[in-house]
Amino acid sequence: AMHREALLGYGGEGRDASDPLPTVVTLGYTGKPARGLQTDRALRMADLEGALPNCFNGMLAGRTLQAAALKQGRKDAAYLWAGSGYARSRAMPAAALVETLVAEAQSSQYEG
């Protein structure tokens, strides 16, 4: 629920579609590039990336921290995966989303 709220709320309080929280790519969670919301945790992990060994995989420890962050409602400490276009996310049932996307795609074919 917290992750969904963060995505649909443009990353946090006071944010809107014109000013969503940026995303960052970090190796600090899994050892592989992953994009997420620019939370305090993501920024702190970016500071550590240079010191991590090539075989680093933070998922084991990260799962424990993630569970605690979610339990306490700490968006700043959670990893919140998000693509660069997350601000265009919509809350609707999957079938309605597919219908909307198809209609938008068909409409855009005729606009340009």
Side-chain angles (χ1 to χ4, degrees):
M2 182 174 69
H3 192 175
R4 182 174 192 228
E5 289 170 13
L7 295 177
L8 295 173
Y10 306 104
E13 270 187 59
R15 299 275 181 180
D16 60 27
S18 67
D19 183 35
L21 186 67
T23 60
V24 294
V25 174
T26 180
L27 302 172
Y29 298 140
T30 66
K32 297 179 182 176
R35 182 174 296 279
L37 294 180
Q38 183 181 299
T39 61
D40 290 341
R41 181 177 175 196
L43 293 174
R44 285 192 305 265
M45 292 304 290
D47 292 341
L48 298 173
E49 284 179 11
L52 298 175
N54 287 338
C55 61
F56 175 77
N57 183 342
M59 289 305 292
L60 296 177
R63 285 186 185 117
T64 303
L65 180 58
Q66 179 73 358
L70 293 174
K71 185 176 182 178
Q72 295 178 16
R74 296 273 314 270
K75 286 184 212 171
D76 62 320
Y79 44 76
L80 301 172
W81 308 121
S84 58
Y86 84 92
R88 294 188 301 270
S89 298
R90 305 169 196 188
M92 62 177 66
L97 176 60
V98 170
E99 289 174 16
T100 300
L101 293 174
V102 168
E104 288 175 357
Q106 290 171 341
S107 172
S108 69
Q109 290 177 353
Y110 302 108
E111 292 177 8

